[in-house]
């Protein structure tokens, strides 16, 4: 007798008729299920007359209506109240090294899905490998209880409740899925009947009726459109594809990054434990097209289910789209701002996933970072999740920040082109093949760093939003909560981002400007930075071996192989410099970690700005200058709230210059010769000085924005895209004139941030009085900061000259 997931003795305790619903994909499966029932009844005192069986549409096959469907309907309508118990055969994959999973080779051998064998393979498996065949018994329920659930949850369509038999069939399949999940493991926790469950709810149909009236269309038409949206966006998981895709992912990333992903397994297992009682939302940084794939593989190899991952509709092309959809990706349109029906359907889809405790994933930046820095957050999907939480769809939602770091980025060449104004390559099959071909070059390791999870319950409390009586107030509260949570997650992602040898070396190389450096010179340049990383206990990818000639040369050679650096080796010592037009590539690696140094850079510039002023309260002036720089850079970096930020600046002062209080006291209310100024002397003692290498390119880009604004006709409306084109042209001109120093300053991403800053200050508004003067003031302000950066750069150069 086949093994069942429920002991038959449980049914012997039932004093009512039992109706077994047979979820069978073939006559052979039906016979096996009936054989199991017959064998069990012959060994018990239960009368076989009190047991009935009826086939229901198979959950593994597209079923046609036949005589069994009519008999099923008759059993439901006969006026009795039997105990409904669904049965199904579970077919298991062959066990290899303790794991039962489909193999990629099975696909090429045309064996098909071992968990869903064809009719001949069912017989072959049953007779030769009976251990791979199990009887699943779903959680039974009285027919009367199912009727109550149906009446409470089902929608009224054309004045009639949606079909009870379809509801019972769906409930049977869902409870059998739970049983099968217990057998297979949490790795295969996937939803079933998502579209049917959403569209059959009464609240969903009521909202469609309301939208139909608002849009002046028929309910039938809007239902049809909503159904199309659901089909377009929803993931349709397949356990077979989940296994195959996991193996394909490993093959792909191991082409260029080795077979092992580097992450803290204990941290991931802690996160897995959180998922047992609450839905998880993974929010990774987005540096590469591999990000989603490697995170999914890390989850898979630790027995966690695939996330429901938001993907742009642009990647829904063959063959990637169908595979990704079956592995957990749901596709959303790039723009649907004015499409109320689409927004409603997407919102209900998110509600369903949160309510059923399925994990989600998307990039809070919205797109890949072309600069290396974490981009400003996008709020759309996050607001849907927070709204679902506030409406009680889940008692809590856990947000998981994830930083995915690469020793070398596969896509960095494309980013250089786009930063210089190039057009992104269209994503299609040819694009995918070219990306795979690029993976063949060794690129180091991949590091997945999980930050501290954030509980929405702890962050926001449990007060629900009053969306009906106070809709505007509720909307404003939701918007504020979403912004707070988004910036908090950005901070947590940055905190988790590791310092890599390549990123630290790129920062050091960019410090040298156009000068080539020997291995020893690079080592000296990195020593101060390395000491800073170690003293501040910044996260890293393990030992950063840049304190030895061998470690430095290994990192230099790695960058040389990828053409970021060039090496001249015909002299007594090999020397390294940034390769032709590779400044943006080096800057990309540097930018992945400059958030760790930005407070120090602000500290340096705020000290110099304070030293330039004759203030009776230099401490207050210093605080004002630091906050002012924070405001200027708010579109470039994630900053802590005001008080925490100031505490961090104070901590930096304590770290770099413990005697800072005395310097401010000596400066207060006094005028000093420049070379004797206590604050300037304090700056000279700071080490390392980082503002030229962290902020120079940003403020050079902002200078281009400021100069472009000054040249605008104040009477004509400003088109941000046209202004961006002007900045790209002017930036190239200023580079050729050597009025700005860094080629990385000609960056489309940074220009866009500068334009957003100008727009926030009202500098694009031609109807505002005094706009010409304010544009000039903005440009002059940026030039003053640029001059301060050059002054600190000169101090750094004199130190290096003194050493060498």
């Amino acid at each position: 007798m086949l093994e069942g997931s429920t002991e038959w003795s449980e049914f012997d305790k039932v004093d009512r008729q039992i109706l077994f619903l047979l979820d069978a994909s073939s006559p052979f499966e039906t016979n096996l299920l009936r054989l199991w029932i017959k064998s069990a009844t012959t060994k018990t005192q239960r009368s076989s007359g009190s047991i009935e069986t009826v086939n229901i549409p198979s959950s593994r096959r597209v079923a046609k209506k036949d005589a069994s469907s009519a008999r099923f309907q008759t059993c439901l309508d006969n006026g009795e109240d039997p105990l409904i118990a669904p049965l199904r055969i579970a077919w298991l994959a062959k066990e290899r090294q303790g794991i039962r999973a489909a193999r990629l080779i099975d696909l090429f051998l045309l064996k098909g899905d071992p968990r869903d064998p064809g009719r001949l393979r069912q017989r072959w498996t049953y007779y030769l490998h009976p251990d791979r065949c199990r009887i699943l018994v779903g959680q039974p329920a009285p027919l009367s209880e199912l009727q109550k659930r149906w009446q409470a949850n089902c929608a009224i369509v054309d004045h009639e409740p949606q079909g009870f038999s379809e509801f019972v069939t769906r409930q049977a399949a869902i409870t059998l899925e739970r049983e099968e999940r217990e057998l297979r493991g949490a790795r295969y926790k996937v939803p079933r009947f998502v579209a049917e469950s959403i569209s059959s709810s009464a609240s969903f149909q009521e909202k469609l009726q309301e939208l139909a009236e608002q849009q002046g269309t028929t309910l039938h038409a809007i239902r049809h459109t909503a159904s199309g949206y659901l089909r377009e966006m929803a993931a349709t998981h397949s356990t077979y594809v989940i296994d195959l895709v996991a193996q394909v992912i490993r093959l792909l990333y191991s082409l260029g990054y080795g077979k092992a992903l580097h992450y803290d397994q204990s941290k991931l297992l802690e996160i897995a434990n959180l998922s047992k009682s609450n839905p998880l939302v993974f929010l990774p940084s987005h540096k590469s097209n591999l990000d989603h794939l490697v995170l999914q593989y890390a989850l898979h190899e630790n027995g966690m289910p695939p996330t429901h991952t938001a993907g742009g509709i642009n990647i829904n092309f063959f063959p990637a789209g169908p595979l990704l959809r079956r592995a957990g990706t749901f596709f959303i349109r790039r723009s649907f701002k004015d499409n109320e029906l689409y927004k409603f359907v997407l919102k209900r889809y998110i509600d369903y996933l949160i309510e059923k405790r399925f994990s989600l994933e998307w990039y809070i930046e919205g797109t890949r970072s072309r600069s290396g820095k974490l981009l400003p957050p996008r709020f759309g999907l996050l607001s849907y999740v927070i709204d679902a939480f506030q409406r009680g769809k889940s008692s809590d939602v856990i947000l998981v920040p994830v930083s995915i770091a690469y020793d070398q980025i596969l896509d960095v060449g494309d980013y250089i082109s786009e930063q210089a104004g190039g057009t992104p390559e269209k994503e299609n099959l040819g694009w995918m093949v070219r990306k795979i071909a690029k993976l063949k070059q060794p690129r180091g390791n991949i590091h997945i760093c999980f930050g501290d999870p954030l509980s929405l319950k702890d962050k926001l409390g449990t007060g629900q939003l009053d969306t009906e009586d106070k809709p505007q107030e509720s909307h404003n509260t939701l918007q504020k909560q979403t912004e707070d949570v988004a910036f908090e997650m950005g901070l947590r992602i940055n905190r988790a981002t590791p310092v890599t040898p390549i990123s630290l070396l790129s920062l050091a190389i960019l410090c040298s400007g156009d000068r080539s450096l020997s291995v020893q010179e690079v080592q000296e340049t990195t020593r101060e930075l390395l000491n800073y990383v170690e003293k501040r206990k910044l996260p890293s990818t393990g030992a950063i071996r840049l304190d030895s000639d061998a470690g430095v040369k290994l990192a230099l050679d790695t960058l040389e192989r990828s053409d970021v650096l060039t090496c001249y080796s015909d002299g007594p010592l090999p020397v390294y410099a940034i390769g032709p037009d590779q400044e943006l590539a080096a800057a990309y690696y540097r930018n992945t970690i400059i958030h760790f140094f930005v407070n120090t850079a602000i500290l340096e510039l705020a000290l110099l700005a304070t030293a330039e002023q004759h203030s009776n309260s230099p401490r207050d002036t210093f605080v004002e200058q630091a906050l002012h720089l924070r405001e200027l850079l708010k579109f470039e970096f994630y900053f802590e709230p005001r008080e925490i930020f100031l505490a961090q600046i104070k901590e930096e002062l304590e770290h770099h210059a413990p005697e800072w209080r005395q310097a401010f006291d000596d400066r207060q209310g006094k005028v000093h010769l420049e070379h004797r100024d206590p604050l300037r002397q304090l700056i000279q003692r700071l080490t390392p000085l980082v503002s030229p290498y962290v902020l120079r390119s940003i403020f050079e880009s902002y200078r281009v924005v400021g100069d472009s604004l000054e040249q605008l006709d104040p009477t004509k409306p400003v088109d941000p895209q046209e202004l961006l084109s002007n900045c790209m042209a002017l930036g190239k001109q200023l580079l050729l004139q050597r009025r700005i120093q860094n080629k990385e300053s000609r960056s489309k991403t940074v220009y866009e941030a500068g334009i957003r800053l100008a727009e926030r200050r009202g500098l694009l508004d031609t109807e505002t009085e005094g706009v010409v003067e304010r544009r000039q003031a903005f440009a002059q302000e940026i030039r003053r900061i640029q001059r301060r950066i050059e002054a600190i750069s000169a101090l750094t150069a004199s130190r290096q000259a003194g050493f060498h």
Side-chain angles (χ1 to χ4, degrees):
M1 179 172 147
L2 289 175
E3 182 181 347
S5 60
T6 297
E7 293 293 334
W8 182 265
S9 58
E10 295 298 318
F11 293 109
D12 282 336
K13 301 173 185 177
V14 178
D15 59 358
R16 68 171 80 195
Q17 183 186 23
I18 300 175
L19 175 60
F20 284 107
L21 306 183
L22 309 185
D23 180 357
S25 66
S26 69
F28 181 68
E29 286 192 348
T30 299
N31 290 336
L32 288 180
L33 293 171
R34 285 179 175 158
L35 178 64
W36 180 79
I37 296 170
K38 182 179 179 180
S39 177
T41 55
T42 59
K43 297 179 182 181
T44 67
Q45 300 299 317
R46 188 171 188 90
S47 168
S48 60
S50 63
I51 294 175
E52 281 199 55
T53 64
V54 63
N55 282 70
I56 60 174
S58 170
S59 58
R60 297 205 306 266
R61 298 283 189 275
V62 179
K64 297 180 180 179
K65 287 197 173 183
D66 53 20
S68 65
S69 301
R71 185 164 175 267
F72 176 41
Q73 187 66 51
T74 301
C75 291
L76 297 179
D77 296 340
N78 64 8
E80 298 181 9
D81 187 21
L83 185 71
I84 306 292
L87 299 181
R88 180 201 290 169
I89 299 287
W91 302 97
L92 305 179
K94 184 177 179 179
E95 186 172 4
R96 299 177 180 88
Q97 299 179 340
I99 298 175
R100 293 186 183 273
R103 299 182 306 165
L104 196 58
I105 193 172
D106 294 336
L107 178 66
F108 297 108
L109 295 176
L110 304 179
K111 290 185 177 182
D113 185 356
R115 302 187 188 93
D116 186 15
R119 296 189 179 194
L120 290 177
R121 193 167 290 277
Q122 286 175 2
R123 294 176 181 272
W124 181 83
T125 302
Y126 173 70
Y127 290 117
L128 296 182
H129 304 283
D131 63 306
R132 292 171 55 188
C133 180
R134 306 284 177 85
I135 302 291
L136 294 178
V137 184
Q139 179 66 38
L143 181 62
S144 56
E145 181 183 323
L146 290 170
Q147 287 173 328
K148 289 179 183 177
R149 278 193 245 163
W150 171 60
Q151 291 168 353
N153 298 313
C154 239
I156 304 296
V157 180
D158 297 331
H159 308 292
E160 292 291 337
Q162 290 191 338
F164 179 51
S165 61
E166 288 85 354
F167 174 79
V168 174
T169 300
R170 193 161 64 241
Q171 293 300 304
I174 290 172
T175 190
L176 286 169
E177 282 294 322
R178 294 195 189 104
E179 291 297 323
E180 193 156 359
R181 189 188 307 154
E182 291 296 320
L183 188 63
R184 294 177 178 173
R187 174 181 286 165
Y188 303 104
K189 178 187 176 183
V190 297
R192 296 294 306 275
F193 305 107
V194 177
E196 294 88 344
S197 299
I198 294 173
S199 59
S200 65
S201 71
S203 60
F204 186 83
Q205 293 294 332
E206 289 169 3
K207 183 63 176 181
L208 292 187
Q209 177 71 54
E210 180 184 325
L211 288 171
E213 293 172 358
Q214 291 175 359
Q215 298 178 13
T217 187
T218 65
L219 181 58
H220 174 77
I222 210 162
R223 276 188 193 140
H224 180 75
T225 305
S227 177
Y229 288 159
L230 264 177
R231 288 195 304 272
E232 178 185 284
M233 70 176 62
T236 54
H237 292 77
S238 160
T239 55
Y240 182 47
V241 174
I242 288 170
D243 281 343
L244 297 184
V245 166
Q247 293 169 62
V248 170
I249 290 172
R250 191 168 189 269
L251 286 174
L252 286 176
Y253 79 71
S254 60
L255 287 174
Y257 293 98
K259 293 184 177 180
L261 298 175
H262 298 265
Y263 57 88
D264 184 342
Q265 189 177 37
S266 63
K267 183 87 172 180
L268 183 54
L269 294 179
E270 289 176 10
I271 293 168
N273 286 330
L274 293 174
S275 70
K276 294 177 180 177
S277 54
N278 299 293
L280 302 179
V281 176
F282 289 90
L283 297 174
S285 59
H286 198 12
K287 300 290 192 297
S288 168
N289 287 298
L290 288 175
D291 291 337
H292 166 65
L293 302 181
V294 296
L295 178 56
Q296 287 301 296
Y297 188 80
L299 300 180
H300 184 84
E301 70 177 351
N302 285 276
M304 295 178 68
T307 59
H308 288 71
T309 305
I313 198 73
N314 58 299
I315 62 172
N316 188 20
F317 58 85
F318 182 84
L323 287 174
L324 290 173
R325 188 186 294 276
R326 287 166 176 77
T329 298
F330 65 95
F331 295 102
I332 57 177
R333 298 180 179 184
R334 289 284 183 97
S335 176
F336 49 88
K337 183 177 181 181
D338 299 321
N339 190 334
E340 293 301 321
L341 178 59
Y342 188 91
K343 286 192 286 187
F344 167 68
V345 172
L346 177 58
K347 189 174 184 179
R348 283 305 178 92
Y349 183 62
I350 299 298
D351 281 358
Y352 177 87
L353 298 177
I354 293 295
E355 188 173 21
K356 303 301 181 183
R357 298 205 310 270
F358 290 107
S359 296
L360 285 90
E361 176 198 341
W362 71 84
Y363 304 111
I364 198 166
E365 303 165 89
T367 186
R368 284 174 289 153
S369 171
R370 269 67 175 177
S371 65
K373 298 193 299 292
L374 193 65
L375 300 176
R378 302 286 180 89
F379 303 125
L381 284 178
L382 183 60
S383 70
Y384 286 3
V385 168
I386 293 175
D387 185 43
F389 163 70
Q390 293 286 24
R391 287 185 286 110
K393 296 299 179 182
S394 178
S395 60
D396 198 2
V397 179
I398 307 299
L399 308 185
V400 184
V402 186
S403 176
I404 304 176
Y406 302 80
D407 286 344
Q408 292 188 79
I409 299 285
L410 171 68
D411 312 289
V412 73
D414 298 335
Y415 299 159
I416 294 172
S417 173
E418 292 177 38
Q419 288 282 46
T423 303
E425 189 176 0
K426 186 176 180 180
E427 293 159 329
N428 52 31
L429 179 59
W431 166 86
M432 186 174 71
V433 170
R434 286 189 291 274
K435 287 293 181 185
I436 293 172
K438 285 184 179 180
L439 277 170
K440 294 180 180 179
Q441 180 181 340
R443 297 177 186 274
N445 295 312
I446 301 175
H447 311 272
I448 305 175
C449 303
F450 299 97
D452 295 328
L454 174 69
S455 159
L456 286 187
K457 183 178 179 181
D458 293 344
K459 177 72 174 179
L460 305 177
T462 56
Q464 296 187 5
L465 300 177
D466 187 357
T467 56
E468 293 185 4
D469 296 337
K470 300 178 180 178
Q472 187 57 49
E473 182 178 333
S474 171
H475 172 77
N476 294 340
T477 301
L478 177 62
Q479 186 176 27
K480 179 64 166 61
Q481 290 179 343
T482 302
E483 291 176 0
D484 289 346
V485 170
F487 280 99
E488 175 66 24
M489 292 308 293
L491 288 167
R492 294 188 183 209
I493 293 171
N494 271 341
R495 290 180 202 136
T497 299
V499 177
T500 69
I502 296 298
S503 60
L504 200 64
L505 187 67
S506 297
L507 176 58
I509 290 288
L510 286 166
C511 294
S512 67
D514 295 333
R515 194 166 62 88
S516 296
L517 300 177
S518 68
V519 171
Q520 185 181 8
E521 288 173 327
V522 173
Q523 184 181 340
E524 287 298 329
T525 306
T526 58
R527 180 174 290 128
E528 290 182 346
L529 297 172
L530 194 58
N531 289 339
Y532 180 86
V533 169
E534 292 173 350
K535 288 181 180 179
R536 304 297 284 169
K537 297 180 179 179
L538 300 181
S540 66
T541 57
I544 304 177
R545 298 181 178 86
L546 296 179
D547 53 356
S548 67
D549 287 354
V552 170
K553 191 173 189 314
L554 178 64
L556 288 169
D557 290 344
T558 300
L559 286 175
E560 184 193 1
R561 283 195 300 272
S562 58
D563 298 325
V564 176
L565 298 181
T566 59
C567 176
Y568 176 76
S569 56
D570 290 343
L573 288 175
V575 290
Y576 296 82
I578 296 174
D581 299 319
Q582 291 296 310
E583 288 82 4
L584 283 172
Y588 187 96
Y589 294 118
R590 175 205 62 190
N591 288 349
T592 61
I593 62 168
I594 60 171
H595 57 277
F596 289 123
F597 300 91
V598 68
N599 282 355
T600 304
I602 287 175
L603 159 67
E604 295 167 8
L605 293 176
L607 279 174
L608 186 54
T610 304
E612 291 174 354
Q613 301 181 34
H614 301 298
S615 170
N616 290 327
S617 180
R619 292 194 187 191
D620 290 343
T621 302
F622 172 76
V623 168
E624 290 171 5
Q625 290 296 326
L627 290 173
H628 180 64
L629 287 165
R630 173 178 176 268
E631 180 68 17
L632 282 173
L633 295 167
K634 66 182 179 182
F635 292 109
E636 298 290 343
F637 299 100
Y638 286 79
F639 289 107
E640 296 279 5
R642 184 181 187 277
E643 295 305 319
I644 298 177
F645 168 75
L646 291 176
Q648 289 176 336
I649 293 295
K650 182 179 177 181
E651 185 180 353
E652 288 292 325
L653 271 173
E654 293 283 1
H655 171 76
H656 290 283
E659 71 280 11
W660 67 272
R661 291 178 180 82
Q662 185 62 49
F664 275 96
D665 290 342
D666 292 344
R667 183 63 157 72
Q668 187 164 347
K670 300 175 183 176
V671 177
H672 296 269
L673 295 175
E674 183 171 307
H675 66 281
R676 294 181 181 176
D677 189 306
L679 295 185
R680 293 181 186 272
Q681 292 175 343
L682 185 64
I683 294 170
Q684 292 174 352
R685 292 194 293 272
L686 297 179
T687 181
L689 290 168
V690 300
S691 56
Y693 321 121
V694 173
L695 297 180
R696 173 192 266 158
S697 63
I698 293 174
F699 281 109
E700 284 189 343
S701 296
Y702 280 16
R703 178 197 170 166
V704 173
V705 174
D707 289 357
S708 297
L709 285 170
E710 281 188 307
Q711 297 172 11
L712 292 177
D713 186 339
T715 64
K716 293 182 178 179
V718 179
D719 178 359
Q721 287 302 313
E722 184 178 344
L723 178 57
L724 177 61
S725 298
N726 294 344
C727 290
M728 295 297 293
L730 179 59
K732 186 170 184 179
Q733 174 194 314
L734 294 179
L735 269 173
L736 294 172
Q737 293 178 301
R738 305 296 293 170
R739 291 169 63 186
I740 56 178
Q741 304 299 315
N742 293 15
K743 290 184 179 180
E744 57 180 294
S745 302
R746 189 170 178 263
S747 166
K748 182 179 178 181
T749 300
V750 186
Y751 289 155
E752 288 172 339
I755 291 170
R756 286 198 299 274
L757 176 64
E759 187 174 19
R760 182 66 64 90
R761 289 188 164 200
L763 302 182
L764 307 189
D765 187 358
T766 57
E767 298 180 0
T768 305
E769 185 177 352
V771 68
V772 173
E773 291 76 12
R774 286 187 290 108
R775 287 174 180 174
Q776 291 173 346
F778 174 75
Q780 291 168 2
E781 176 185 12
I782 300 301
R783 293 186 195 113
R784 282 195 297 271
I785 295 172
Q786 195 181 355
R787 284 196 294 271
R788 290 171 190 146
I789 290 174
E790 294 308 318
I792 294 174
S793 179
L795 177 59
T796 303
S798 67
R799 285 182 182 178
Q800 293 175 343
F803 168 77
H804 296 299

